[in-house]
Amino acid sequence: MSSASDQSNHERERQLAGVWDNLPGWGTLVAVNHTSVGLRFMATGMLFFLVGGLLAMLIRTQLALPEQTIVEAGLYSQLFTMHGTVMMFLFAIPVLEGAAMYLIPKMIGTRDLVFPRLSALGYYCYVFGGLIVLSSLVLEIAPDSGWFMYTPLSSSDYSPGPGSDFWLLGITFVEISAISAGIELVVSILRTRAPGMSLNKMPIFCWYILAMALMIVFGFPPLILGSILLELERAAGMVFFDTTGGGDPLLWQHLFWLFGHPEVYIIFLPAAGIVSTLIPVFARRPLVGYHWIVLAIITMGFVSFGLWVHHMFTVGIPHLAQAFFSIASMLVAVPTAIQIFAWLATLWQGRVVFGLPMLWIVGFLVVFVCGGLTGVMLALVPFNWQVHDTHFVVAHLHYVLVGGMLFPLVAGFYYWLPHVSGRMPSYRRGRWGFWLFFGGFNLTFLLMHLTGLLGMPRRVYTYEAGLGWDWLNLLSSVGSFVMAIGVAVIIIDIFLHFRFGEKASQNPWGADTLEWAIPMPVNSYNFSSMPEVSGRHPLWDTPRLPERISKGEFGLAHANNGRREIYLSDAITGKVTALIHLPTNSWLPMLTAGALAVVCLALLLKIYLAALVAAAVALMVVLRWGWENGGHPKISTVGEDNPDDPPVHSRTLDGPGLWGMNVTLMSNGTLYVSLIFGWFYLWTAAPQWATPDKAPVSISLLTGSGLLLTVAVGIYHKAVSRLREGNDSGLNQHLWVAAGVAGLHWAMLILAIVNSGLQPRALAHDAVITVALVYLAVHSGLAIVMTALQAVRAGMGYVGKALPYEPVVVRPFWIYTLGVFWLTVAAFFLIPLAWSVP
């Protein structure tokens, strides 16, 4: 009987592998499985880390002794710019996103992320964007304005070469990847948890990743907008940051740090999530203060968006603003302290088993607390004035980011390594890497605090002897080489691990979370059957759960229909509401990213016709992507024999696409609000702000265009409302009429833009209005295309009362487009007009 059962389980798992496995050979490039994509993110990020580390070693070699000429001034500026860029944009966030992509589905008890092709697109955007940025270094034309690209240093007057353009276009490409991952993770965590996993039973790591993903959604758009505006100023001569045309270089600093300071917590939160996950496992008891830590995570996420000005204390902002942001900068220490005390209490009350990952956790606690203390010091305005732009700030940055991110990351690598290799890490070899890295790190950056207090400025490529900095810089450089040796030992240890590591048993650390219910090395579908949970610690509550999962005792144990299936669950309770049919391996994400990469390269080479053609190709590929969605036969069976308990997601009104659209619009709205912020900032603060004598755009044309858009949205809304009630009569015609009326609106909007008297190359006033109007035209055009696509699909039977999913997804985009249109008219035209009336 047991033999027959084993044979049945083997056949069932063979079927699952046939559906979920990657294609062989070159076909692996089209993989969309979260395990493959997550591992690729992490592996690629580690390669970029080694590049960034090599740049750092060149910097420390140059600074080891005074008056050295190993690296000349221009190259040194490129080195520190690229070091910061690589570590912040190409290593820290992508590696943590990759870890989240790999772990989240396994922790919440599902088989994949909810938008697999979006994950693959994000990876290829990341790779291509990173290669574009690094190619500038190989071509010896790398940016040299700092990783923060302050204007006017990065503007064409002071950086006439293409280095800044490589940064702006490449990093924007990478940020598309980050936002796509953020959207993916938010929707997956909220809507695909295991049956029974309510929010208050969710693993603490998932709370950290949910906060991180939402912060990416809201935090990255300001920098994307700033990069677009600066590239438009450099390439097209439009005025945004040039004071002679009414711009202000401080606008860049505001947009950059609106992204830059939340980024610190975007990096810290996943690392803290690793700490909160590992400490209970090695303390052999549940985490103390689970609900307090969740509250601290949410508070930290909110507060982090109100701290950006503390990077700008020396630029001349009002004293009241300095006091406000100084207090806010100190307040963020409160949620951080809650987490630290909860970790210490868990260790105090537990029976600690001191494995190799715990060595790195203890290193994190020491280094990060020191970095946090210097952060509170920098929050004090008078002290900040004294050490601003000195090596003290450099030391603080590294204590917070390396201590707060890299130490937990390595702990997590060692902890989850058996997942990938099926082998246990060696404590004997691993501790050598830790102590070399820990000692070298503190020797390098602890002394750098003193160098900064003695007045050594950052970003200088040499210094005179006898200033008291000589021995400190020499020891810091020695420490950096010790740290590099530690990294080399860790890399060697990991390679040896895959060959000589001891075989790992099931759940080798005695953990409580679902990822350890999976066989090791990990398979492509995670769970043989979809687990059900009843508590926060499923493997501690039900030790036999892995065995029951592997025997197929839970749902979706078979893959008879040859489709990739996961559950859609309620966002709060975790109750199953639908069955999601996921797309399988596809070339479309790679082709889309490739076309977008050609757009970037063509813009760098100023071949604008090629950029336009590549953009059109990218749009066509995306439309092809969108065609295989919802009720398409390749994704979901259109026939009447679909399951109804639970129903397929394409037959519901609350599918994952609706959530994905709403989260995407949150990010999109943040970009638009950033543009509004820039408009009012320049209007009120730019020293030479100027307005034309008469309105450059016809208000009557804009009003007429807006009224047509309102009618189109009303028609579409009525069609969707009827569809929600189960009435699809005339759906095809209603969609075509909505698209047609919207087409008239779009034509009138384009006419208003073409016939305007805007002078974007002369006035910042006109430049910002131009960007706003183009933003409206792009969104209206996309709404028309999506609606026309829905009309065609309705005519083919892919959309209707039995398949109402897609029009419901598109409706929020229509409403958003209508809202930003009238808000633009009010903010850019009606309010200034009313303000100018005597």
Side-chain angles (χ1 to χ4, degrees):
M1 188 73 179
S2 176
S3 176
S5 176
D6 290 343
Q7 185 176 357
S8 174
N9 285 335
H10 178 74
E11 176 62 23
R12 185 171 49 79
E13 291 179 359
R14 188 189 64 80
Q15 287 181 345
L16 287 169
V19 171
W20 287 89
D21 280 358
N22 298 336
L23 298 177
W26 289 104
T28 191
L29 294 175
V30 306
V32 298
N33 181 278
H34 81 99
T35 298
S36 299
V37 174
L39 290 174
R40 289 173 186 179
F41 260 102
M42 288 188 280
T44 307
M46 293 310 299
L47 291 176
F48 282 126
F49 170 76
L50 296 178
V51 173
L54 178 61
L55 299 177
M57 300 313 299
L58 292 172
I59 293 171
R60 286 313 319 171
T61 301
Q62 168 65 16
L63 294 178
L65 297 171
E67 301 177 7
Q68 290 202 101
T69 56
I70 298 172
V71 176
E72 53 88 21
L75 179 57
Y76 183 86
S77 295
Q78 293 184 21
L79 291 177
F80 76 70
T81 298
M82 291 300 293
H83 167 69
T85 298
V86 168
M87 290 303 197
M88 297 296 283
F89 294 101
L90 303 183
F91 164 62
I93 291 178
V95 163
L96 293 169
E97 286 182 332
M101 287 181 175
Y102 177 86
L103 290 170
I104 286 299
K106 296 171 172 58
M107 282 190 165
I108 63 177
T110 189
R111 287 175 174 159
D112 206 345
L113 294 168
V114 73
F115 306 123
R117 291 181 293 188
L118 187 62
S119 300
L121 172 67
Y123 173 72
Y124 284 113
C125 287
Y126 164 51
V127 171
F128 294 152
L131 291 176
I132 288 172
V133 174
L134 281 188
S135 65
S136 66
L137 189 62
V138 176
L139 298 171
E140 300 182 359
I141 52 174
D144 57 3
S145 306
W147 68 274
F148 33 74
M149 293 295 288
Y150 278 179
T151 55
L153 288 176
S154 57
S155 299
S156 53
D157 288 342
Y158 297 96
S159 296
S164 295
D165 301 308
F166 273 87
W167 192 98
L168 294 166
L169 293 170
I171 294 303
T172 300
F173 206 7
V174 172
E175 287 162 352
I176 294 173
S177 164
I179 290 179
S180 68
I183 295 167
E184 176 87 273
L185 290 167
V186 168
V187 180
S188 296
I189 291 171
L190 291 177
R191 296 306 313 271
T192 61
R193 300 192 305 277
M197 186 180 284
S198 58
L199 280 179
N200 66 341
K201 296 175 185 175
M202 195 164 66
I204 193 67
F205 182 79
C206 299
W207 279 107
Y208 280 99
I209 297 302
L210 179 60
M212 176 205 75
L214 285 170
M215 290 176 70
I216 288 174
V217 166
F218 290 108
F220 273 65
L223 181 58
I224 292 177
L225 175 67
S227 299
I228 292 171
L229 298 184
L230 183 52
E231 183 59 25
L232 286 173
E233 183 171 279
R234 289 177 55 85
M238 298 173 71
V239 180
F240 300 102
F241 309 106
D242 185 354
T243 57
T244 60
D248 190 344
L250 286 184
L251 174 60
W252 170 267
Q253 291 196 33
H254 281 290
L255 292 175
F256 182 88
W257 290 117
L258 276 168
F259 145 82
H261 197 81
E263 186 195 25
V264 173
Y265 298 93
I266 289 170
I267 292 171
F268 168 72
L269 283 174
I274 294 173
V275 176
S276 292
T277 300
L278 269 60
I279 282 181
V281 173
F282 289 96
R284 296 294 188 259
R285 62 144 294 137
L287 183 66
V288 171
Y290 174 93
H291 293 98
W292 280 100
I293 290 181
V294 171
L295 180 61
I297 294 167
I298 297 171
T299 302
M300 183 175 285
F302 275 106
V303 174
S304 68
F305 283 94
L307 309 180
W308 82 94
V309 174
H310 83 205
H311 295 272
M312 304 169 59
F313 280 158
T314 61
V315 302
I317 62 175
H319 291 303
L320 182 61
Q322 289 181 342
F324 172 82
F325 286 102
S326 176
I327 294 171
S329 300
M330 288 183 276
L331 281 177
V332 79
V334 175
T336 306
I338 290 174
Q339 296 170 78
I340 292 174
F341 284 119
W343 296 331
L344 294 177
T346 304
L347 292 171
W348 182 266
Q349 296 184 14
R351 295 174 287 106
V352 179
V353 177
F354 209 80
L356 180 58
M358 275 302 295
L359 200 59
W360 289 90
I361 295 297
V362 172
F364 153 79
L365 291 172
V366 173
V367 173
F368 182 73
V369 168
C370 292
L373 292 174
T374 57
V376 175
M377 294 168 66
L378 286 168
L380 300 171
V381 176
F383 181 81
N384 188 292
W385 284 349
Q386 301 305 312
V387 299
H388 186 79
D389 269 348
T390 70
H391 273 216
F392 187 94
V393 176
V394 178
H396 161 73
L397 177 71
H398 285 81
Y399 260 78
V400 170
L401 293 182
V402 177
M405 177 266 183
L406 193 58
F407 278 82
L409 183 66
V410 178
F413 276 170
Y414 277 120
Y415 176 73
W416 282 295
L417 199 55
H419 247 271
V420 181
S421 66
R423 299 175 181 270
M424 294 297 291
S426 167
Y427 182 82
R428 181 177 298 178
R429 291 194 304 266
R431 67 182 180 181
W432 279 101
F434 168 79
W435 286 113
L436 285 168
F437 188 90
F438 183 80
F441 173 82
N442 284 286
L443 182 61
T444 301
F445 295 107
L446 183 63
L447 296 180
M448 202 176 286
H449 288 96
L450 299 177
T451 314
L453 290 174
L454 290 174
M456 183 173 180
R458 62 198 297 194
R459 300 188 292 275
V460 294
Y461 82 103
T462 191
Y463 53 94
E464 295 180 4
L467 296 175
W469 308 338
D470 308 29
W471 68 277
L472 291 168
N473 273 306
L474 178 60
L475 287 177
S476 285
S477 295
V478 170
S480 69
F481 278 91
V482 173
M483 184 166 51
I485 294 171
V487 172
V489 169
I490 294 169
I491 294 172
I492 293 171
D493 176 35
I494 291 176
F495 276 109
L496 292 175
H497 162 88
F498 278 88
R499 179 66 178 86
F500 301 106
E502 178 185 347
K503 292 287 186 179
S505 60
Q506 183 76 45
N507 194 10
W509 306 109
D512 61 324
T513 43
L514 282 174
E515 77 273 19
W516 294 107
I518 298 171
M520 298 179 295
V522 67
N523 56 41
S524 58
Y525 50 87
N526 294 341
F527 301 97
S528 295
S529 57
M530 305 294 276
E532 298 176 8
V533 300
S534 58
R536 199 177 295 151
H537 312 284
L539 297 193
W540 288 351
D541 298 337
T542 313
R544 289 190 60 252
L545 185 61
E547 180 183 349
R548 295 181 61 195
I549 292 171
S550 65
K551 288 182 177 180
E553 294 185 12
F554 300 104
L556 302 184
H558 299 275
N560 296 328
N561 60 8
R563 299 185 186 278
R564 297 187 177 187
E565 296 177 329
I566 63 173
Y567 285 139
L568 181 72
S569 56
D570 183 80
I572 306 297
T573 65
K575 179 182 177 181
V576 173
T577 59
L579 185 67
I580 303 176
H581 284 167
L582 295 178
T584 185
N585 302 306
S586 172
W587 287 98
L588 295 174
M590 186 178 182
L591 293 175
T592 304
L596 293 175
V598 173
V599 172
C600 290
L601 292 173
L603 291 175
L604 283 170
L605 298 172
K606 302 189 184 305
I607 309 175
Y608 298 119
L609 179 60
L612 191 61
V613 172
V617 171
L619 179 61
M620 287 188 289
V621 176
V622 169
L623 290 176
R624 181 70 179 85
W625 179 338
W627 185 254
E628 293 183 3
N629 211 340
H632 193 278
K634 284 191 175 182
I635 301 298
S636 178
T637 306
V638 183
E640 295 296 329
D641 57 343
N642 284 273
D644 55 8
D645 187 23
V648 178
H649 76 279
S650 58
R651 293 177 172 270
T652 70
L653 298 169
D654 189 32
L658 179 62
W659 286 66
M661 175 64 78
N662 287 331
V663 177
T664 301
L665 291 177
M666 291 178 190
S667 187
N668 192 0
T670 306
L671 187 141
Y672 178 77
V673 170
S674 300
L675 181 63
I676 294 287
F677 167 82
W679 166 257
F680 284 109
Y681 174 81
L682 291 177
W683 184 5
T684 57
Q688 299 185 44
W689 176 257
T691 58
D693 295 331
K694 61 177 183 178
V697 182
S698 170
I699 301 297
S700 58
L701 277 177
L702 285 178
T703 303
S705 176
L707 292 174
L708 286 171
L709 176 61
T710 304
V711 172
V713 174
I715 295 171
Y716 189 91
H717 178 76
K718 181 179 179 181
V720 173
S721 297
R722 285 161 53 90
L723 188 62
R724 292 177 68 94
E725 295 169 358
N727 183 359
D728 62 357
S729 62
L731 175 63
N732 179 271
Q733 293 83 356
H734 279 92
L735 293 175
W736 279 120
V737 170
V741 175
L744 295 175
H745 142 76
W746 188 82
M748 189 172 290
L749 176 60
I750 295 298
L751 183 65
I753 297 173
V754 172
N755 291 340
S756 70
L758 292 169
Q759 302 178 59
R761 295 186 177 185
L763 293 174
H765 173 278
D766 289 8
V768 179
I769 289 178
T770 300
V771 171
L773 293 177
V774 170
Y775 178 90
L776 296 181
V778 168
H779 281 72
S780 295
L782 287 174
I784 293 168
V785 171
M786 287 191 290
T787 303
L789 190 69
Q790 292 301 301
V792 173
R793 292 170 69 82
M796 299 182 67
Y798 295 164
V799 173
K801 63 181 180 180
L803 297 164
Y805 171 68
E806 296 175 47
V808 174
V809 172
V810 176
R811 179 165 64 172
F813 190 89
W814 271 110
I815 296 171
Y816 174 85
T817 301
L818 178 64
V820 295
F821 184 93
W822 287 116
L823 184 57
T824 298
V825 171
F828 290 88
F829 299 100
L830 299 183
I831 293 177
L833 183 63
W835 192 269
S836 63
V837 175

